[in-house]
Amino acid sequence: NENHFDNSLIPALSQKHSAKELAGIALAIYNNDKVMSKNKRPSTFSSWYEIFCICLGTTKKTYQPKDLTTTHDKMIKALPFLS
């Protein structure tokens, strides 16, 4: 099994992304049962997104999952290991 965390996700997060693109990545992680198991993920995307931003050292913006559909899909195409 390839280590997508070290080999793919960390390098992808090191690249320059807009705040909305980072939120799209956060949503892709949140929705992916292989990356974040349902029994371990925060109960809301907002809670997860706050943790995600703290880990990256970025400012949390106000995004709802419904506002990120296009960005989420774009990030899944760019980072297929999150699909």
Side-chain angles (χ1 to χ4, degrees), residues 25-46:
I25 293 171
L27 183 59
I29 293 169
Y30 184 79
N31 287 335
N32 188 319
D33 293 339
K34 292 180 272 182
V35 177
M36 184 180 289
S37 66
K38 287 183 181 184
N39 63 346
K40 301 227 179 189
R41 79 176 55 139
S43 59
T44 65
F45 169 70
S46 181

Side-chain angles (χ1 to χ4, degrees), residues 4-61:
H4 288 296
F5 183 82
D6 289 332
N7 298 336
S8 303
L9 183 59
I10 297 301
L13 292 174
S14 299
Q15 297 175 9
K16 181 94 171 131
H17 294 285
S18 71
K20 195 165 189 175
E21 287 172 337
L22 286 174
I25 293 171
L27 183 59
I29 293 169
Y30 184 79
N31 287 335
N32 188 319
D33 293 339
K34 292 180 272 182
V35 177
M36 184 180 289
S37 66
K38 287 183 181 184
N39 63 346
K40 301 227 179 189
R41 79 176 55 139
S43 59
T44 65
F45 169 70
S46 181
S47 297
W48 161 243
Y49 179 49
E50 183 172 356
I51 293 165
F52 182 82
C53 288
I54 289 168
C55 290
L56 293 181
T58 63
T59 303
K60 180 181 182 265
K61 305 290 184 183

